[in-house]
Amino acid sequence: MAADRSRDRLPEPTDRSTDAGVAAPEVWHRVHPLTPILESLGVLVGIFVAAAYGLQNFFQRAVEDLARGDGVDLGFAGWLRAHPLVILGGVGGILLILLLTALFSWLAWRVMGYRIDSEAIYYRRGLLSKKQRKARLDRVQSIDLQQKLLPRLLGMAELVFDVAGGSDSNISLKYLSKKRAEGLRDKLLAAVRARKQGTQSGQRTANAGQSAEATAGTESSGGASGGLEEADVAEADMTGDAVGNLDGESAIDRGVPERRDDSIGVRLSKRLGSLAGGASHEAESSINELLAPYYVSAEVSEDGEIIRVPVHRVVVSSLLRTETIISVLVVLFLIATAIVLLALGLTEAFIPMLVAVIPGLFAAFSAFRKNLDNANFVVKLGENGLAVNHGLVSTSRKVIPLDRLQAVCLHQPLLWRWAGWWKVEYNIASAGGTGESNILLPVGDIDQALLMVGLALPDPQLPDELSAATLVRSAMYDRKSEDPQAESAEELFHGQPRSSRLIDPLVWNRRAYAVTGSLLVLRLGVLDRRVDFVPHVRVQSMSYHQGPLMRSLGLGTVAVHSTAGPIEPRVTHQSVDDAKRFFSEHSERTRLARQRYDEEARRAKEGRP
């Protein structure tokens, strides 16, 4: 218990040459005592569902008996009254199970714990099968604070460590009191920042003597690749990028001046440094200056808040989603069918049909509840990224480092058009789990969508007569855009040839791509509109594809590879000549963009203009 009461104190870095015999002892800290019980809720829910299923069957039989004019069969209840020892045995068995569960939970809690040193954080658990996880501090990319419903009601939270190296390497530390979790998170962020700064300094020193050799190697291999099946172009050092970023705390290197290919959000962070109290007016002025090409203005509150999505908007948008509407229609169909059967006198079929409505209600509620996780969505402009809080029942808090965003997309479902709402998502250079939400804006009007897209992307680098707002609106609404310069922006887009109508009869006339000085813009979808943005410096690789049907029609597709996420950019079904030309030109374009981007950072580090 002494370990549980001790403060979560991070050890000071020690000299590695210190004798191991005098090293500080390992101190393990315990998690909240209710953690094993909360982690066993799945079993309890399963028992409850089984009991509810039994009660549902009993209720169904009782209703059917009453509908036929028969009495309800209560024979089992009468048998129990005649055998009270069975009742006592059942009650005793339940109490015994509860006691064994409590004992097992207590023993499991005794072996649960975490330990922190100057190198890593360790988490151990397991009573029969012991497990220990380790997360190196210099590999931690983000630390998110999450609260599900029951832990939230009990004042507890979990810390989720996103660690470079794959989703299986992530660590979830649960559960701690909310105050303790917040304090531990702040200390770990400071420790990770210090650790990474030391690591990066060592890497820069080690790499200084290799720069000439690496440059020579790059020049000698520049023309080696000539195939179209698969080519790696402008590939970023993802390990280095990931290691250099942490939850917005040390993500942006302010030793490097603003670069043209930096996103507007990164440039803003470099200008402001930190949003302390009283700096909101300065932040508001700077953000509006940088976002002027998008014709939007932001109001920054004292604590940096720039967007708040009302709960009612999330609720209405969730009801207008396709999966929710389909679930509701299925429920209404079952109810209508049950009423028709009752009117026809088919009472035996009426009851099962009415009971079948229950799973449909659960499906509709699940589809609706999934989108409610984004209720109370608040975006704040932080020192090194966007701080996002969201959740109605369960809450989540995380920071999105803007310099790690690899691609951004705008999405508008069909039924959102009447309100003019859009959703903004992103791909990020992270090893986050597959269930992680990559949302910049769950639902918002056109101005909010342009604001988030503008912060996440670099300046499009367009001709002087075109603005970023004109380009994005043309990508969103194509020829229906009401922007005065829409015709000029439309000339930048390359559509699909008429021969692609056989493959894409509905969307061939809308699909198009545009290339600017810093971005690849893809216009997709007819019923559900979609626009993908891929900065040139973030392209990982490219591939050319042509199937048998495409070959017969003289078409080809180029996939522009990004990191894992909801965005899979493709220049689809172009003529063979256009597809190959785009492949070659864009490969060279992205390579030069990344080379220029890295060179600007290298010159800044070396103090050269």
Side-chain angles (χ1 to χ4, degrees):
M1 297 301 292
D4 187 36
R5 291 192 298 267
S6 63
R7 299 176 59 185
D8 300 313
R9 185 174 303 164
L10 295 176
E12 298 293 335
T14 58
D15 187 357
R16 292 182 182 272
S17 62
T18 303
D19 190 284
V22 296
E26 296 182 354
V27 178
W28 287 88
H29 306 276
R30 292 202 178 102
V31 296
H32 198 282
L34 293 180
T35 297
I37 297 176
L38 292 175
E39 290 189 332
S40 302
L41 283 180
V43 178
L44 299 178
V45 170
I47 295 174
F48 174 78
V49 170
Y53 180 75
L55 291 176
Q56 174 189 333
N57 290 336
F58 173 77
F59 174 76
Q60 179 177 346
R61 288 195 300 269
V63 172
E64 291 175 350
D65 291 341
L66 292 175
R68 290 194 299 267
D70 301 334
V72 180
D73 184 11
L74 300 177
F76 182 70
W79 182 83
L80 286 178
R81 285 197 300 269
H83 299 80
L85 292 179
V86 175
I87 299 177
L88 292 176
V91 173
I94 294 175
L95 292 176
L96 179 61
I97 292 174
L98 292 176
L99 289 175
L100 291 176
T101 302
L103 177 61
F104 182 84
S105 299
W106 181 78
L107 293 174
W109 172 75
R110 293 283 298 178
V111 299
M112 278 185 177
Y114 65 94
R115 180 173 67 87
I116 306 168
D117 59 24
S118 60
E119 301 286 337
I121 178 171
Y122 306 83
Y123 180 52
R124 68 181 183 186
R125 57 177 301 165
L127 185 59
L128 301 179
S129 178
K130 297 184 180 297
K131 297 180 181 179
Q132 180 169 309
R133 306 290 300 276
K134 173 184 176 182
R136 284 173 44 193
L137 296 182
D138 59 354
R139 303 294 289 174
V140 173
Q141 300 183 67
S142 67
I143 306 177
D144 298 337
L145 183 69
Q146 297 184 0
Q147 286 185 288
K148 297 180 181 178
L149 175 59
L150 190 53
R152 181 183 178 188
L153 295 176
L154 297 174
M156 295 187 293
E158 65 175 302
L159 294 178
V160 180
F161 297 82
D162 182 6
V163 184
S167 58
D168 291 339
S169 61
N170 295 348
I171 290 181
S172 179
L173 180 58
K174 54 184 179 184
Y175 290 97
L176 306 173
S177 66
K178 183 180 179 182
K179 182 178 180 180
R180 184 180 176 190
E182 290 175 342
L184 180 59
R185 180 177 181 269
D186 293 340
K187 294 178 180 179
L188 284 171
L189 288 174
V192 173
R193 179 170 58 248
R195 180 68 182 170
K196 287 185 177 181
Q197 287 174 349
T199 301
Q200 290 173 347
S201 298
Q203 288 177 346
R204 285 195 293 267
T205 302
N207 292 336
Q210 301 176 5
S211 58
E213 180 181 353
T215 303
T218 302
E219 293 175 351
S220 64
S221 60
S225 176
L228 285 177
E229 290 300 323
E230 184 80 22
D232 293 333
V233 295
E235 184 169 0
D237 184 357
M238 299 310 303
T239 302
D241 288 346
V243 171
N245 302 310
L246 171 72
D247 200 27
E249 292 295 328
S250 60
I252 296 175
D253 188 353
R254 290 181 177 78
V256 179
E258 292 183 26
R259 291 173 284 186
R260 294 186 66 191
D261 290 323
D262 279 331
S263 71
I264 290 178
V266 172
R267 294 167 61 189
L268 178 65
S269 298
K270 289 181 178 179
R271 290 188 183 187
L272 298 179
S274 176
L275 291 179
S280 58
H281 297 297
E282 181 183 356
E284 189 172 303
S285 175
S286 297
I287 191 174
N288 290 335
E289 176 188 349
L290 290 172
L291 290 174
Y294 288 91
Y295 298 156
V296 294
S297 60
E299 295 183 1
V300 183
S301 65
E302 291 295 333
D303 60 350
E305 181 180 313
I306 57 174
I307 284 183
R308 177 179 290 272
V309 181
V311 175
H312 71 271
R313 180 182 294 178
V314 176
V315 172
V316 174
S317 64
S318 300
L319 292 174
L320 294 178
R321 301 214 32 120
T322 304
E323 57 267 28
T324 305
I325 292 177
I326 291 177
S327 300
V328 172
L329 291 177
V330 170
V331 170
L332 294 177
F333 172 77
L334 293 175
I335 293 176
T337 304
I339 293 175
V340 171
L341 292 175
L342 181 62
L344 295 176
L346 302 175
T347 56
E348 294 183 355
F350 166 73
I351 298 300
M353 186 64 67
L354 191 62
V355 173
V357 172
I358 298 177
L361 290 174
F362 276 109
F365 177 75
S366 298
F368 176 71
R369 182 186 176 279
K370 179 181 179 181
N371 296 298
L372 284 185
D373 291 339
N374 293 314
N376 295 322
F377 196 92
V378 178
V379 181
K380 295 182 180 180
L381 188 62
E383 180 181 352
N384 291 285
L386 297 178
V388 174
N389 295 349
H390 62 90
L392 184 63
V393 178
S394 301
T395 62
S396 179
R397 181 190 312 164
K398 67 178 180 179
V399 176
I400 303 173
L402 292 172
D403 67 333
R404 282 166 52 197
L405 299 190
Q406 307 296 302
V408 178
C409 81
L410 286 163
H411 179 220
Q412 185 185 56
L414 177 63
L415 297 178
W416 285 15
R417 293 189 185 182
W418 68 274
W421 291 337
W422 288 84
K423 179 180 181 180
V424 185
E425 297 177 288
Y426 62 89
N427 286 0
I428 192 169
S430 171
T434 56
E436 185 177 348
S437 175
N438 289 27
I439 295 178
L440 275 175
L441 181 69
V443 54
D445 56 33
I446 181 66
D447 290 336
Q448 291 176 328
L450 288 175
L451 171 62
M452 299 307 294
V453 167
L455 287 175
L457 294 175
D459 186 328
Q461 302 175 21
L462 295 167
D464 293 337
E465 64 273 12
L466 288 180
S467 67
T470 300
L471 173 71
V472 177
R473 288 176 183 270
S474 294
M476 296 163 76
Y477 302 110
D478 55 78
R479 300 163 188 84
K480 299 178 182 178
S481 173
E482 299 178 356
D483 192 284
Q485 301 295 324
E487 292 186 5
S488 299
E490 193 63 29
E491 294 177 358
L492 296 178
F493 285 90
H494 306 270
Q496 293 184 193
R498 296 181 64 86
S499 57
S500 65
R501 288 180 299 172
L502 295 175
I503 302 179
D504 302 313
L506 298 178
V507 300
W508 76 274
N509 201 31
R510 172 173 163 81
R511 277 185 184 167
Y513 73 91
V515 179
T516 74
S518 63
L519 294 172
L520 170 65
V521 184
L522 301 172
R523 185 169 65 200
L524 309 165
V526 173
L527 299 180
D528 284 3
R529 293 170 175 166
R530 183 184 177 100
V531 183
D532 293 348
F533 304 88
V534 188
H536 299 331
V537 296
R538 301 301 182 185
V539 173
Q540 304 301 303
S541 63
M542 295 172 58
S543 63
Y544 174 87
H545 172 72
Q546 187 183 52
L549 180 58
M550 295 168 60
R551 187 177 297 111
S552 65
L553 296 173
L555 303 174
T557 292
V558 178
V560 180
H561 299 155
S562 179
T563 53
I567 307 168
E568 298 180 356
R570 293 175 180 270
V571 176
T572 309
H573 298 160
Q574 299 291 317
S575 67
V576 171
D577 292 339
D578 289 343
K580 291 182 177 180
R581 184 183 305 110
F582 170 81
F583 183 94
S584 301
E585 293 178 355
H586 204 62
S587 298
E588 182 66 11
R589 182 183 295 113
T590 54
R591 184 186 68 82
L592 293 176
R594 185 70 196 193
Q595 185 180 36
R596 180 180 65 250
Y597 188 77
D598 293 339
E599 180 61 25
E600 291 176 359
R602 191 179 301 113
R603 286 200 304 265
K605 294 294 185 183
E606 297 174 356
R608 294 187 288 118

